[in-house]
Amino acid sequence: GQSLEQPSEVTAVEGAIVQINCTYQTSGFYGLSWYQQHDGGAPTFLSYNALDGLEETGRFSSFLSRSDSYGYLLLQELQMKDSASYFCAVHGSGNTGKLIFGQGTTLQVKP
Amino acid sequence: GAVVSQHPSWVICKSGTSVKIECRSLDFQATTMFWYRQFPKQSLMLMATSNEGSKATYEQGVEKDKFLINHASLTLSTLTVTSAHPEDSSFYICSAPNQNTEAFFGQGTRLTVV
C-alpha cells in the first residue's frame, strides 16, 4: 500500500518561516513533489526532489531524505497570499507522471 | 509553462443523467493524462490513468463503467460520469505530466448532481 502523512493544519504570522513535513510509505518511489492549492483552484507545482538534499526556488525550498522516507517544504518570508493547502505527492516507480497525494496541510498566515 | 484546459469549470445535472468533462493539453502532447477527484477539504484521489489510444487504467475501487474515460488524441482526454447520483458530486480535475516531473492541472470541474 501507499501512504503519506503530513500535518493537517499549520498557522504562522506574516514574515515568519514555516516547515511542512511529509513522511511516506510507498511500494515504489521515484521522487517527491509539492503542490499548492488555493480554495476552489487547481493545484500548482512548487517543487520536485528526486535525490536527497535541498532544492531552493525563491522563498520556497524542499528537502528530501530517501533513506528516511521523509521530506519537507520550507516557506520563508510568509505572505498572506501563502494561505492555502499544501500537498506532498509521491511519484511512483516507473516515472509515469502518476502522483499519489498526501492529505494536505492547510496553512493559515495571520497578520 | 505548459497549459492544460479543462471544461466545463462547473456543471449542475439531474440525477440519472451523464456528464462529460474534457481535458486538453494546449501546447504539448500528452500520451498520458490522469483524472482525480477531490471532496471538500480532502486530498486529490487518483481515479484513473488515461492512455492515448488504449484503455484507461483504473485505481482500485473506481467503477470503470461509471466513469468512462476516452483518450482519442494526444491532446484530449474525456471523463464521462454516467448515471450521475448526488454522491458523485465532487471536484474533478485532470492533469498531464510534462517530462514526468511536473504535473500540469486543468482548472477542475465542480460537479453538482441534484
Side-chain angles (χ1 to χ4, degrees), chain B residues 30-48:
Chain B
T31 55
T32 304
M33 292 184 179
F34 300 94
W35 287 95
Y36 296 85
R37 179 168 56 182
Q38 185 177 34
F39 292 106
K41 307 295 183 186
Q42 294 189 23
S43 185
L44 290 87
M45 298 301 297
L46 180 65
M47 298 175 67

Side-chain angles (χ1 to χ4, degrees), chain A residues 31-53:
Chain A
L32 188 72
S33 287
W34 289 90
Y35 286 81
Q36 178 193 62
Q37 185 181 32
H38 285 97
D39 266 351
T44 55
F45 173 81
L46 294 177
S47 69
Y48 171 74
N49 295 68
L51 303 176
D52 287 359

